[in-house]
């Protein structure tokens, strides 16, 4: 029984042959044996279609290998792309974390500086010398009463031009008053009346304000 047309149609071949199905199977097995063992030789008595069958099978095998390699490359490309996304996200998160740490560090530094200033103010404002001067001046009893110079609360520095008595305090001019107010870091809006400046200075040095314009 002849099966050449079926075999040829199965492999998409057009070559004609008079071999029967047994011969076709035999040569097909020979071709598979050749391909498995890397033998490039084809039996000399093989019909023409055997070479075509070998070429067809090699093409199909090669096509399958190429398809598998293409799929593998596509998977690797996708994996690399995902890895890049993950790494970039990690770098972004790390950069954000570093920026937050830097900001927190700057804030902490500002807080430390502010605390240092406050400690300095507390130290000088509560110093024995300043407290003693404020207490002494508070007990002023007359124009000739001697005043004690009051140190600056933030630095402990002593002012220049401090009045020696209540009489000299009452005789301060506006420029002298402004100079002492500036020394103590006391600021008033422009245009403030002299009496208000005078009373603010008196409070700063421990004395009760008097609501009258100084001489």
């Amino acid at each position: 029984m002849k099966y050449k047309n079926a075999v040829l149609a199965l492999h998409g071949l057009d070559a004609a042959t008079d071999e029967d199905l047994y011969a076709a199977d035999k040569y097909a097995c020979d071709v598979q044996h050749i391909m498995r063992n890397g033998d490039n030789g084809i039996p000399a008595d093989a019909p023409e279609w055997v070479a075509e069958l070998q070429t067809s099978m090699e093409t199909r095998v090669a096509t399958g290998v190429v398809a598998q390699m293409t799929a593998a490359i596509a998977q690797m490309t996708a994996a690399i792309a995902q890895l890049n996304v993950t790494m970039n996200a990690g770098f972004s998160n790390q950069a954000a974390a570093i920026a937050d740490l830097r900001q927190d560090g700057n804030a902490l530094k500002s807080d430390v500086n502010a605390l240092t200033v406050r400690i300095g103010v507390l130290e000088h404002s509560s110093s024995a010398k300043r407290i003693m001067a404020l207490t002494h001046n508070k007990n002023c009893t007359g124009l000739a009463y001697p005043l004690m110079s009051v140190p600056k609360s933030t630095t402990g520095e002593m002012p220049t031009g401090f009045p020696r008595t209540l009489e000299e305090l009452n005789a301060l001019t506006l420029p002298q008053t402004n100079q002492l107010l500036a020394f103590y870091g006391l600021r008033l809006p422009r245009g403030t009346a002299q009496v208000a400046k005078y009373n603010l200075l008196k409070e700063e040095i421990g004395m009760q304000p008097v609501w009258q314009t100084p001489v």
Side-chain angles (χ1 to χ4, degrees):
M1 184 178 294
K2 305 297 183 181
Y3 292 95
K4 69 175 184 178
N5 292 333
V7 174
L8 295 176
L10 177 63
H11 294 284
L13 303 174
D14 296 327
T17 182
D18 292 330
E19 298 292 336
D20 57 11
L21 181 58
Y22 175 79
D25 288 340
K26 176 180 178 300
Y27 287 115
C29 290
D30 289 340
V31 170
Q32 292 178 354
H33 175 76
I34 291 168
M35 294 179 66
R36 281 198 302 268
N37 295 282
D39 189 356
N40 295 325
I42 297 176
D45 59 344
E48 182 180 350
W49 62 266
V50 174
E52 296 179 6
L53 177 60
Q54 181 187 20
T55 301
S56 175
M57 294 177 67
E58 289 176 346
T59 301
R60 291 184 182 183
V61 171
T63 301
V65 171
V66 170
Q68 292 177 357
M69 292 181 64
T70 301
I73 291 173
Q75 291 178 353
M76 290 180 63
T77 301
I80 292 173
Q82 183 60 42
L83 180 60
N84 287 334
V85 171
T86 303
M87 291 178 64
N88 290 335
F91 290 149
S92 298
N93 293 337
Q94 186 178 16
I98 292 174
D100 289 342
L101 286 174
R102 187 172 298 167
Q103 184 175 1
D104 292 343
N106 291 335
L108 180 60
K109 183 178 180 180
S110 298
D111 291 342
V112 170
N113 291 338
L115 181 60
T116 301
V117 172
R118 292 180 61 184
I119 291 175
V121 171
L122 180 62
E123 178 185 357
H124 294 295
S125 63
S126 60
S127 67
K129 191 171 185 178
R130 178 177 170 84
I131 292 175
M132 182 168 48
L134 294 175
T135 302
H136 174 84
N137 294 341
K138 184 178 181 180
N139 296 323
C140 176
T141 56
L143 293 177
Y145 188 86
L147 300 178
M148 289 186 64
S149 182
V150 179
K152 191 175 183 178
S153 63
T154 55
T155 62
E157 182 184 358
M158 300 299 292
T160 57
F162 193 89
R164 292 171 296 179
T165 63
L166 177 59
E167 184 176 13
E168 289 187 6
L169 176 63
N170 290 339
L172 288 177
T173 63
L174 180 58
Q176 291 173 324
T177 303
N178 288 336
Q179 180 180 354
L180 287 172
L181 289 174
F183 170 80
Y184 288 115
L186 303 175
R187 297 287 185 269
L188 289 173
R190 184 182 296 275
T192 301
Q194 181 177 354
V195 64
K197 294 181 178 181
Y198 175 75
N199 285 319
L200 181 62
L201 177 60
K202 289 195 70 176
E203 289 181 302
E204 177 65 19
I205 64 175
M207 303 180 68
Q208 293 294 324
V210 290
W211 301 106
Q212 62 181 8
T213 304
V215 179

